[in-house]
Amino acid sequence: MKGSSAFSVKSIVNNAGIGLALLLLILFFSVASEFFLSPNNITNILTQITINLILAVGMTFVILIGGIDLSVGSVMAFAAVIAGKAITLPGLGTTELILLAILAGLVAGLICGLVNGVISAYWALPSFIITLGMLNIARGAALQVSGAQTIYSFPFAFEEFGSKMVFGIPFVFLLALALVAIAWFVLNRTVFGRLIYAIGNNEEAVRLAGHPVFWYKVAAFTICGATAGIAAIVYMARLSIASPIAGIGFELNAIAAVIIGGTSLAGGRGSVIGTLLGAFIIGVLANGLILIGLSDFMRQMITGVVIIIAVILDHYRAKLSSS
Amino acid sequence: MKGSSAFSVKSIVNNAGIGLALLLLILFFSVASEFFLSPNNITNILTQITINLILAVGMTFVILIGGIDLSVGSVMAFAAVIAGKAITLPGLGTTELILLAILAGLVAGLICGLVNGVISAYWALPSFIITLGMLNIARGAALQVSGAQTIYSFPFAFEEFGSKMVFGIPFVFLLALALVAIAWFVLNRTVFGRLIYAIGNNEEAVRLAGHPVFWYKVAAFTICGATAGIAAIVYMARLSIASPIAGIGFELNAIAAVIIGGTSLAGGRGSVIGTLLGAFIIGVLANGLILIGLSDFMRQMITGVVIIIAVILDHYRAKLSSS
Amino acid sequence: MAQAVQASPTDDILLDVTDLRKSFGGVHALSGVSFSLKAGEVHALVGENGAGKSTLIKVLTGVHHYDAGTISLGGAAFEPSDPHFAKAAGIQVVHQEFNLLTDLSVAENISIEAFPRARFGLLDRTEMKRRARTALDAIGLNDVDVDTPVSRLGIAHRQLIEIARALQTESRILILDEPTATLTERETSRLFDIVAGIKAKGVTVVFVSHHLDEVFAICDRVTIFRNGQTIATENIADTSPEGVVRHMVGRTLSEQTKELNDAICDSIVLSVEGLQTAASPHPQGVSFDLRQGEILGIAGLVGAGRTEVLRAIFGADPIQSGQISRNGNRISISNPRDAIAAGIGFVTEDRKDEGLILDMDIAANTSLVSIKDVSVKGLLNFAKERLMAIQGGARLKLKYGKASDPASSLSGGNQQKVVLAKWLASHPEILLLDEPTRGVDVGAKAEIYAILKDLAAQGMSMIVVSSELPELITLTDRLLVMSEHKVQGSLMPEDYQQEAILKLAYGQSETPEGQNQ
Amino acid sequence: EDKPVVGLVMKSLANEFFQNMMVGAEEHAKMRGDYTLIAVGMQNETDFESQINAVENFITQGVDAIVIAPADSRAMVRPIKRAMEAGIVVVNFDVSLDAAAKEQQGIDLAFVGPDNRGGAKLAGDALGQALGDGGKIVIIEGNPGADNANERRLGFEASVEEYKLDLLDSRTAHWETEEANQVFSAMLTAHPDIQGVMAANDSMAVGVVKALEAAGRSDIIVVGFDNIPAVGPMIADGRMLATVDQFGTRMAADSIDLALEVVAGGPALEGWVKTEIELVKGQ
Ligand SMILES: Nc1ncnc2c1ncn2[C@@H]1O[C@H](COP(=O)(O)OP(=O)(O)OP(=O)(O)O)[C@@H](O)[C@H]1O
Ligand SMILES: Nc1ncnc2c1ncn2[C@@H]1O[C@H](COP(=O)(O)OP(=O)(O)OP(=O)(O)O)[C@@H](O)[C@H]1O
Ligand SMILES: [Mg+2]
Ligand SMILES: [Mg+2]
């Protein structure tokens, strides 16, 4: 049983079942490529999973309540464009610009998430469709606002934070890790988190227990939108551009990380630690398969196969650990 | 109540709730553009929704059992490449080539669906992840088999069937319509169909009733794969090419048609008539927004907004009709 | 109640179970169960909540695999590997928890095991509906349309549909796990007639119930469970209810007595006037008052509209018209939140869909309503929560492993106790209870009655909807009888007689209309 | 109103190259004022259907000319044939229709546009000259299966051949900055001795440059394609060696001019009307 209440260390280990598959992957790549465990490559992997991880943390909330958010990639692009416009405003000091951009990106993402949440919760509509609508709206808006032009030339201090290292670890990855920790705490130690799980499990029972289900659902989507905003800032800092066509298909990667991590698409079961491992699986796979020199097409096929094998492995581990 | 038992005409009308939104759309575009209702344009719309409709019919089965199939776009490309290889084989007569190609495409799609079904049903794994894996596998395979080259130069008779008209209606659309009719019949009039609904409703109850749930699930995915194969054939006949990069993102459109049509992502509720209307909504919107001359970005935004409004409208209609 | 069925079983042993064991993780659900079924008998399984009755049934029907022991059917070894296998061997079952397809029609649910097929795998819908109609009529559900989706039906109707479904297939052994827990007398006696009928055809019946009067009315033999073991099997003719209870709990229970509650104050805490919901056909609606410390019962037949009234008061369903007053002040309740804020609690009839969060642990379920009491500034205090669960559990004699086990691992009756514990933990001033002791064993029931009476004595007011007249008779201070969505009459304890209540329930008015208060 | 109507079928306008081209066309239409422009883009790079739909819609509307940048050099042949049969003047620009496919369908159509392969070779040659014989390079390809990706790869490969470069690896990053960044980071790990990178477009070149910055490598030479504004500073400060400008802003406008001439009764176009390309290098 993938318990919803990940309290003890043991239950974290259990939740994080996909860890075995990750371990095997890492083991394999370490043997297959001399570069895989080099400090440089580890830095690469950490940097590369950062954005997906940030998006996946927000996505975990939405999937836990039984929803889905297809718009995160587009919303990220929209938030990036807005933040990009803000950071290239003339006549302001660097610090102000950076703060303004961060705020603008965050608020833009948050508002998109809020809209997703309010519409799907108020009318009890399938979030798949509502966020598919938002996917189109946010992408169109990003293109419209930017005139389809890539925004560039950001203050140096801002770009620097994208490549800053702390104890040999990319700062942006630590940021993502902090988000994971916060999400874990919120989901497992607070009333709010408890009710997020409960709603995903049995919404009617929560409603009859007198809790404002509507607001919890809205909150989950808003959190997801806000993480898309944060991802946008990280994206900008890392690549020094704000592109209106960034993030196409990112939603699938984020959802995949969450589900590979053992969270149920039906809601109510899963953990953000699993999401962290899921994001690692995807990132390690993408990196390792290039290192061992597979051709592009083989790489794509093998990625598919490994993802499937990973969840099959997890199935057996879960079975073993439950008996 | 979106009853699963679409027996009477009344219940079809109810199932097809999204019809109101479709009507409003058609009304609006007829007024906004003189071309919209021209026979030529109607032909265009019908041709244009054909592929999405075919994919969506198969998708309806998968979603009804509570699954999802993200691989249909890739599987379609893979089936097209296989059929393309077959149809350009040297040394065979035209009729043989065409039959061989159709068979090859169908079987290729069917096998992908079978694999999706067997893996997700046997290990009870989330079909989202399994079919995401298949998305990568089939795409990689399509690129590998074709060497990333578009295959072309098909027999004339084959291409002709893509543009053939019957009573002023594109033949391929009639084909899609026939699939809808067959699917409706199977889902509503056969034991198999009722068990598909039943599994989506309460899998455990069906298991306890002594039915082999595994095989029904496999069947649903296999049907979905087979429709991707059919879509591949139609695609080839219509575009005269078999491209390994065809069908990117088609899965979202197919799923959207199903869900806009009122089928529940959780399974057990919905109808293929709704899917038909859902596909129409998407097709009419794409066509009409171009006709009224909206800019691309505005068009994308408005597409999102209209999709959302359509499901909101449907919500109110469902409410009215149930009281 | 149906008359005792003439004993006519043979002495042939049809099914023999010896030393059966089954555990879930650390929980030993079955630790040495032996019993045998004689062909053609009606055999009762009784025991406290969590004693292992349902687990045995699930093993026999291929839902669970057993760890050790032997089962033989008709003399041959029998190892049911899945539900299909057991069905093929002629074992039919109605499980304790429902297994219905709520979005499908009643007819489809009844035929699900073997849809009538025309040629080419086509569904013969006419035949399916005809069979469903016959099955429903046989069980007395004349008023239910076979095309209705099950989601529109109340819980008792659902139970009857489960039974109708099991009766569809010819079987050698029919197992009924607490079929009567939600039924009123009318349906129960109809069920007993059916059981008598199939018994006459030579079918062996296994019957689980917490109502010993039912056991003594229709069974030939009874097997008593305690803590996962079979304690004894006795001929009904040779034993007495007291004897069975002694085996069950290991001691004698004191007789339930009806004491008049003298704590009822005159102050009216809740007043309902002209309450109308979407389903109620009567323009005058439902009206009554509830006084402080009073336990008001609502009796009625299945579908009389009792649940509807409670749901409307609690804001779970929208009110069409009518007024609700708390302590004389009109209040508006548009959702459960408002109701809880007004000091009202609601134990729902359907624990699986509305009451419990099955995947979450017992502690989380217990604290769901009063989560503020176990948290500080939004942070959960797990120790406090566990304590709440343990105290609530102890009070209701909950049988469980750890407070951190999921609610789904509990036996049916114990799940019901968790729902009760959840609402008791929230200390409401008014508690609405819909079938509060559904599936709860005799001993625990007595405890629950005592607790409720005690709370009433401390000033809590209650409305109890129940299908068990004895429950209403022991528990309530006043009884409303509903029929066809309206209050047919009101009775005081001195007038509590089965006959009078049933007369009203069947819609024969005793008190003139408008004098229901 | 009897102004001629020109239907412009573009590729994805989300791509700033085509967006700028379209803005150029719109300004052109305003400036000339003697024709009506209807422009349609597509949802994404591989959305062949919407181009076919657009052509079909234009036939429905009875436009006078269709000016099209085909998303697929083979898929668009048949709809274009239908348009021509309907008496519409068709001008093919940006990517040339496949010659064999044209022959098969029995149509003859001129092409107005740049030489993608030649352009890529310009960039590749610049890199070859900078590195000299045996220079170790990698290629970041566009979307496999896309015609211009194919052409550019072939152009790069021609340079590799000519300058006897050592091609260590060649991979797609699907035209995307983020993916190019990830893919190139891994390539750099596997081949620390890379000396040069050929990126099939500038968006991917930006990703490569950022990966080099993160790895602290300033010794690796990068060339791109498209000359988007964002690479301007990179070329100026030497983080990139060169890119290729196809003067996309003018391409659609020029094609429209050519189409209108034919509509006005001029002679049909023939062969390949090459448009300008230029290597953009820093100082
Ligand atoms: N799936 C399960 N996982 C863990 N424990 C279980 C599971 N099913 C049953 N149990 C445990 O097995 C024991 C026996 O349960 P069972 O349902 O057989 O009781 P019962 O006699 O039917 O009780 P009731 O009268 O309440 O229905 C209980 O302690 C219960 O908690
Ligand atoms: N004859 C009927 N046909 C169809 N639906 C009915 C009928 N009677 C009641 N219902 C509906 O079925 C549900 C059951 O009614 P309700 O639960 O209020 O009655 P009840 O007296 O509590 O009976 P139960 O014991 O079934 O709970 C309600 O939603 C009601 O609207
Ligand atoms: Mg039980
Ligand atoms: Mg009721």
Side-chain angles (χ1 to χ4, degrees):
Chain A
M1 161 101 9
K2 271 179 217 99
S4 55
S5 21
F7 299 150
S8 64
V9 174
K10 181 171 165 285
S11 70
I12 291 178
V13 172
N14 269 354
N15 276 325
I18 206 71
L20 177 67
L22 180 59
L23 236 101
L24 288 178
L25 264 187
I26 291 178
L27 224 73
F28 171 78
F29 285 128
S30 320
V31 174
S33 162
E34 47 181 324
F35 304 112
F36 185 74
L37 285 187
S38 70
N40 250 334
N41 195 53
I42 292 178
T43 307
N44 280 347
I45 295 179
L46 296 184
T47 315
Q48 286 162 22
I49 70 167
T50 297
I51 287 179
N52 188 28
L53 181 56
I54 294 176
L55 292 174
V57 167
M59 188 69 76
T60 307
F61 282 83
V62 169
I63 295 186
L64 277 177
I65 59 157
I68 197 160
D69 188 347
L70 297 179
S71 70
V72 290
S74 295
V75 168
M76 186 190 98
F78 176 65
V81 166
I82 297 290
K85 286 274 168 198
I87 207 166
T88 51
L89 281 178
L92 276 173
T94 308
T95 320
E96 284 90 351
L97 277 178
I98 293 180
L99 290 180
L100 183 69
I102 292 179
L103 196 72
L106 205 66
V107 170
L110 196 140
I111 288 179
C112 292
L114 186 74
V115 172
N116 280 336
V118 168
I119 294 182
S120 54
Y122 183 79
W123 283 287
L125 297 173
S127 54
F128 190 97
I129 285 299
I130 303 307
T131 59
L132 183 69
M134 179 57 80
L135 178 156
N136 284 300
I137 297 172
R139 180 70 62 191
L143 287 163
Q144 187 78 39
V145 170
S146 66
Q149 305 295 313
T150 303
I151 302 170
Y152 62 103
S153 156
F154 304 151
F156 182 69
F158 182 68
E159 298 189 5
E160 211 189 24
F161 124 82
S163 47
K164 199 158 142 190
M165 304 287 279
V166 180
F167 307 120
I169 299 173
F171 175 71
V172 289
F173 177 74
L174 290 180
L175 184 79
L177 220 50
L179 287 180
V180 172
I182 294 173
W184 184 88
F185 186 83
V186 168
L187 284 173
N188 293 294
R189 302 284 162 166
T190 69
V191 172
F192 175 82
R194 163 68 61 78
L195 289 173
I196 291 282
Y197 275 105
I199 288 172
N201 255 299
N202 189 342
E203 189 177 324
E204 182 64 7
V206 178
R207 189 177 79 94
L208 289 175
H211 299 291
V213 170
F214 172 80
W215 288 113
Y216 285 96
K217 289 176 129 183
V218 170
F221 280 96
T222 308
I223 288 171
C224 190
T227 56
I230 297 174
I233 305 294
V234 171
Y235 183 97
M236 288 166 67
R238 213 158 97 49
L239 297 172
S240 313
I241 55 165
S243 161
I245 52 172
I248 292 177
F250 281 23
E251 58 280 358
L252 280 192
N253 264 342
I255 299 171
V258 175
I259 300 185
I260 291 178
T263 296
S264 155
L265 249 190
R269 271 185 303 148
S271 97
V272 73
I273 305 291
T275 299
L276 174 66
L277 296 182
F280 259 104
I281 293 244
I282 295 173
V284 164
L285 200 56
N287 174 278
L289 289 180
I290 295 182
L291 284 191
I292 63 172
L294 271 180
S295 82
D296 276 343
F297 309 150
M298 284 306 291
R299 189 155 57 92
Q300 191 162 14
M301 281 192 266
I302 302 232
T303 303
V305 173
V306 173
I307 287 179
I308 293 179
I309 292 181
V311 289
I312 294 181
L313 260 183
D314 184 42
H315 170 88
Y316 281 107
R317 186 214 47 77
K319 239 185 163 169
L320 279 180
S321 86
S322 81
S323 69
Chain B
M1 162 96 15
K2 269 175 219 103
S4 56
S5 21
F7 299 150
S8 63
V9 174
K10 180 171 165 285
S11 71
I12 291 178
V13 172
N14 268 354
N15 275 326
I18 205 72
L20 178 67
L22 179 60
L23 235 102
L24 288 178
L25 264 187
I26 292 179
L27 224 74
F28 171 78
F29 285 129
S30 319
V31 174
S33 161
E34 46 181 326
F35 302 112
F36 185 75
L37 284 187
S38 72
N40 247 333
N41 194 51
I42 292 178
T43 308
N44 284 348
I45 295 179
L46 296 184
T47 316
Q48 287 159 23
I49 69 168
T50 297
I51 286 178
N52 188 27
L53 181 55
I54 294 176
L55 292 174
V57 167
M59 189 68 78
T60 307
F61 283 83
V62 169
I63 295 186
L64 277 177
I65 59 157
I68 196 159
D69 188 347
L70 296 179
S71 69
V72 290
S74 294
V75 168
M76 186 190 98
F78 175 65
V81 165
I82 297 290
K85 284 276 168 196
I87 208 166
T88 51
L89 280 178
L92 276 174
T94 308
T95 321
E96 285 90 351
L97 278 178
I98 293 182
L99 290 180
L100 183 71
I102 292 180
L103 196 72
L106 204 66
V107 170
L110 195 140
I111 288 179
C112 292
L114 186 73
V115 171
N116 280 335
V118 168
I119 295 181
S120 54
Y122 183 80
W123 283 287
L125 298 172
S127 54
F128 190 96
I129 285 300
I130 303 307
T131 60
L132 183 69
M134 180 56 81
L135 179 157
N136 284 301
I137 296 173
R139 178 71 61 193
L143 286 162
Q144 185 79 38
V145 170
S146 67
Q149 301 297 313
T150 302
I151 302 170
Y152 67 107
S153 157
F154 304 150
F156 181 69
F158 181 69
E159 298 190 0
E160 210 189 22
F161 124 83
S163 47
K164 199 159 143 190
M165 304 286 279
V166 180
F167 309 118
I169 299 173
F171 175 71
V172 289
F173 177 73
L174 291 179
L175 185 80
L177 219 51
L179 287 180
V180 172
I182 294 173
W184 184 88
F185 188 81
V186 168
L187 284 173
N188 292 295
R189 301 286 164 162
T190 67
V191 173
F192 173 81
R194 297 324 290 168
L195 286 171
I196 291 284
Y197 275 103
I199 288 171
N201 237 288
N202 188 343
E203 187 177 326
E204 182 62 10
V206 178
R207 194 175 77 89
L208 290 178
H211 295 290
V213 171
F214 172 79
W215 287 112
Y216 286 95
K217 290 176 125 182
V218 170
F221 279 97
T222 308
I223 288 171
C224 190
T227 56
I230 298 176
I233 304 294
V234 171
Y235 182 93
M236 286 167 69
R238 199 164 120 57
L239 278 69
S240 314
I241 56 161
S243 162
I245 52 173
I248 292 177
F250 280 22
E251 58 281 358
L252 279 193
N253 264 342
I255 299 170
V258 175
I259 300 185
I260 291 177
T263 297
S264 154
L265 249 191
R269 269 185 305 146
S271 98
V272 73
I273 306 291
T275 300
L276 174 67
L277 297 181
F280 259 103
I281 293 245
I282 295 174
V284 164
L285 200 57
N287 174 280
L289 289 180
I290 293 183
L291 282 190
I292 63 173
L294 272 179
S295 86
D296 264 29
F297 309 150
M298 284 307 291
R299 192 151 58 88
Q300 191 162 15
M301 280 192 267
I302 300 222
T303 303
V305 172
V306 173
I307 287 179
I308 293 179
I309 292 181
V311 289
I312 294 181
L313 259 184
D314 184 43
H315 170 88
Y316 281 107
R317 185 214 48 76
K319 236 182 166 171
L320 278 180
S321 86
S322 81
S323 70
Chain C
M1 188 88 18
Q3 61 286 16
V5 179
Q6 279 76 29
S8 63
T10 61
D11 279 340
D12 302 342
I13 301 298
L14 179 57
L15 180 87
D16 195 39
V17 173
T18 45
D19 202 26
L20 200 66
R21 286 163 195 278
K22 166 78 192 170
S23 52
F24 299 97
V27 180
H28 299 286
L30 302 180
S31 48
V33 163
S34 304
F35 94 119
S36 59
L37 276 182
K38 290 182 186 168
E41 72 170 339
V42 178
H43 194 120
L45 304 183
V46 299
E48 291 188 287
N49 293 133
K53 306 176 293 290
S54 299
T55 305
L56 171 66
I57 288 168
K58 286 181 180 164
V59 166
L60 290 179
T61 53
V63 178
H64 291 323
H65 296 246
Y66 54 95
D67 303 335
T70 56
I71 309 175
S72 69
L73 179 67
F78 179 62
E79 285 184 42
S81 53
D82 60 36
H84 184 70
F85 186 94
K87 283 203 191 328
I91 302 182
Q92 265 299 344
V93 60
V94 173
H95 287 291
Q96 183 174 13
E97 301 301 331
F98 295 156
N99 290 292
L100 290 168
L101 306 149
T102 48
D103 288 329
L104 264 55
S105 70
V106 168
E108 286 172 322
N109 269 280
I110 289 177
S111 296
I112 183 81
E113 283 180 12
F115 278 121
R117 289 173 194 253
R119 269 176 304 168
F120 315 120
L122 294 195
L123 178 61
D124 185 344
R125 294 213 332 272
T126 330
E127 172 65 9
M128 175 177 81
K129 288 191 192 180
R130 193 192 60 74
R131 285 190 200 168
R133 185 73 269 157
T134 316
L136 289 186
D137 289 346
I139 206 155
L141 277 181
N142 315 63
D143 55 340
V144 171
D145 182 4
V146 295
D147 283 334
T148 320
V150 167
S151 59
R152 292 214 198 135
L153 299 179
I155 198 155
H157 281 139
R158 294 185 187 199
Q159 178 72 68
L160 289 169
I161 284 160
E162 288 259 7
I163 295 170
R165 170 160 81 187
L167 292 172
Q168 274 292 293
T169 329
E170 297 271 304
S171 54
R172 277 205 279 176
I173 300 177
L174 175 66
I175 304 176
L176 303 170
D177 195 353
E178 300 198 25
T180 57
T182 55
L183 301 185
T184 52
E185 312 277 331
R186 179 177 59 162
E187 290 76 29
T188 303
S189 74
R190 185 114 48 178
L191 174 65
F192 289 174
D193 289 343
I194 292 170
V195 168
I198 60 172
K199 179 185 173 185
K201 285 193 227 152
V203 176
T204 311
V205 178
V206 177
F207 178 76
V208 182
S209 176
H210 290 293
H211 303 294
L212 293 182
D213 50 344
E214 294 172 359
V215 169
F216 278 79
I218 60 162
C219 297
D220 302 306
R221 293 199 301 162
V222 54
T223 295
I224 298 125
F225 281 67
R226 197 200 305 165
N227 287 331
Q229 289 175 322
T230 36
I231 299 298
T233 297
E234 292 177 325
N235 284 322
I236 287 293
D238 305 337
T239 185
S240 63
E242 294 72 31
V244 170
V245 169
R246 205 173 328 114
H247 278 307
M248 260 168 67
V249 297
R251 63 193 159 90
T252 341
L253 285 178
S254 56
E255 184 73 15
Q256 280 291 315
T257 50
K258 175 80 198 163
E259 303 154 27
L260 279 184
N261 183 354
D262 42 9
I264 303 176
C265 307
D266 279 340
S267 56
I268 290 171
V269 289
L270 183 80
S271 153
V272 173
E273 265 181 75
L275 187 74
Q276 246 194 313
T277 61
S280 45
H282 311 288
Q284 74 270 30
V286 169
S287 310
F288 61 84
D289 291 334
L290 178 68
R291 284 170 296 168
Q292 186 174 6
E294 182 182 34
I295 304 182
L296 174 66
I298 304 183
L301 299 174
V302 165
R306 301 162 299 172
T307 298
E308 241 164 66
V309 169
L310 296 194
R311 286 182 65 89
I313 295 173
F314 191 65
D317 287 333
I319 293 174
Q320 216 102 61
S321 67
Q323 292 166 13
I324 297 173
S325 311
R326 260 300 260 132
N327 297 328
N329 305 319
R330 274 186 62 175
I331 54 169
S332 103
I333 294 178
S334 55
N335 56 41
R337 206 167 145 68
D338 296 342
I340 290 169
I344 304 176
F346 180 30
V347 176
T348 49
E349 63 178 350
D350 188 341
R351 57 178 171 250
K352 201 173 169 186
D353 285 346
E354 298 168 336
L356 288 173
I357 297 177
L358 285 171
D359 273 351
M360 292 183 86
D361 61 35
I362 297 167
N365 273 287
T366 313
S367 70
L368 189 62
V369 179
S370 29
I371 199 153
K372 285 216 173 73
D373 297 345
V374 295
S375 60
V376 184
K377 295 206 171 92
L379 289 188
L380 287 165
N381 181 336
F382 293 108
K384 233 173 162 179
E385 183 176 63
R386 235 183 99 240
L387 195 67
M388 177 186 270
I390 289 171
Q391 285 175 344
R395 193 172 176 194
L396 293 165
K397 295 219 166 0
L398 187 70
K399 186 183 180 229
Y400 63 108
K402 297 188 300 293
S404 59
D405 288 342
S408 58
S409 72
L410 293 175
S411 77
N414 284 307
Q415 290 183 4
Q416 185 67 34
K417 291 182 202 166
V418 172
V419 179
L420 274 171
K422 170 175 80 176
W423 285 105
L424 292 182
S426 77
H427 306 294
E429 287 163 38
I430 299 173
L431 188 56
L432 315 177
L433 301 120
D434 199 357
E435 311 285 1
T437 61
R438 176 182 162 216
V440 172
D441 67 48
V442 209
K445 221 178 235 178
E447 301 286 344
I448 290 173
Y449 294 161
I451 291 167
L452 294 182
K453 283 188 173 170
D454 189 40
L455 288 170
Q458 289 167 35
M460 190 193 286
S461 315
M462 280 167 243
I463 304 178
V464 180
V465 165
S466 174
S467 296
E468 286 174 42
L469 282 187
E471 175 162 297
L472 290 173
I473 290 170
T474 17
L475 202 55
T476 61
D477 304 312
R478 187 158 58 98
L479 196 55
L480 299 182
V481 186
M482 287 187 70
S483 120
E484 314 246 311
H485 303 272
K486 70 176 179 193
V487 177
Q488 200 69 33
S490 164
L491 299 171
M492 295 308 285
E494 50 272 25
D495 307 321
Y496 285 4
Q497 277 130 14
Q498 292 233 356
E499 209 178 318
I501 298 171
L502 283 179
K503 218 170 154 190
L504 285 171
Y506 277 105
Q508 291 150 314
S509 189
E510 203 152 76
T511 41
E513 295 233 347
Q515 297 193 355
N516 296 333
Q517 282 81 3
Chain D
E1 252 196 280
D2 49 0
K3 282 198 268 185
V5 180
V6 175
L8 176 62
V9 183
M10 304 285 285
K11 291 209 225 167
S12 173
L13 297 179
N15 182 327
E16 60 185 296
F17 178 73
F18 289 102
Q19 174 64 24
N20 292 340
M21 190 185 289
M22 165 121 129
V23 171
E26 277 168 349
E27 277 166 6
H28 177 262
K30 221 176 285 165
M31 220 174 62
R32 269 188 67 150
D34 63 348
Y35 71 98
T36 310
L37 178 70
I38 313 175
V40 178
M42 52 195 239
Q43 292 288 327
N44 61 53
E45 182 101 22
T46 59
D47 182 14
F48 313 137
E49 279 238 77
S50 73
Q51 280 206 336
I52 296 184
N53 297 344
V55 172
E56 280 167 359
N57 290 345
F58 282 147
I59 299 175
T60 302
Q61 293 171 49
V63 298
D64 297 283
I66 293 178
V67 175
I68 178 169
D72 184 280
S73 63
R74 288 152 182 173
M76 294 314 296
V77 174
R78 235 184 21 168
I80 285 177
K81 183 186 178 193
R82 270 203 293 278
M84 292 167 75
E85 281 166 359
I88 297 171
V89 173
V90 179
V91 171
N92 163 214
F93 76 103
D94 184 53
V95 164
S96 169
L97 290 180
D98 187 83
K102 274 195 285 192
E103 194 176 335
Q104 194 214 3
Q105 291 284 343
I107 59 166
D108 189 18
L109 188 65
F111 168 58
V112 181
D115 181 356
N116 266 299
R117 194 186 305 194
K121 187 153 181 308
L122 282 183
D125 288 354
L127 185 64
Q129 280 158 15
L131 293 177
D133 246 26
K136 296 185 158 105
I137 65 131
V138 293
I139 297 176
I140 308 289
E141 304 169 27
N143 209 358
D147 292 302
N148 48 352
N150 223 4
E151 289 292 309
R152 291 178 194 181
R153 182 173 50 80
L154 290 173
F156 286 147
E157 282 171 5
S159 299
V160 169
E161 187 126 330
E162 188 174 327
Y163 287 86
K164 302 197 174 50
L165 299 174
D166 183 3
L167 180 59
L168 299 174
D169 204 352
S170 181
R171 289 187 181 279
T172 178
H174 300 100
W175 303 127
E176 285 171 10
T177 310
E178 162 80 7
E179 193 175 344
N181 183 275
Q182 302 203 2
V183 166
F184 180 72
S185 295
M187 283 167 131
L188 187 60
T189 307
H191 310 283
D193 51 347
I194 291 176
Q195 294 171 288
V197 186
M198 301 178 184
N201 78 354
D202 281 345
S203 296
M204 296 193 292
V206 170
V208 170
V209 168
K210 295 311 289 185
L212 288 173
E213 282 177 11
R217 298 281 297 263
S218 53
D219 56 327
I220 296 177
I221 305 175
V222 183
V223 294
F225 201 112
D226 280 350
N227 194 25
I228 64 170
V231 300
M234 296 181 173
I235 290 180
D237 64 17
R239 281 178 291 169
M240 263 177 82
L241 175 67
T243 185
V244 176
D245 199 334
Q246 308 185 64
F247 302 99
T249 336
R250 296 206 316 254
M251 203 189 294
D254 291 349
S255 305
I256 291 171
D257 279 339
L258 292 171
L260 287 173
E261 266 172 47
V262 181
V263 170
L269 301 174
E270 268 176 43
W272 183 351
V273 184
K274 280 200 187 179
T275 54
E276 198 181 346
I277 45 174
E278 186 183 279
L279 186 70
V280 179
K281 268 184 97 166
Q283 301 319 310

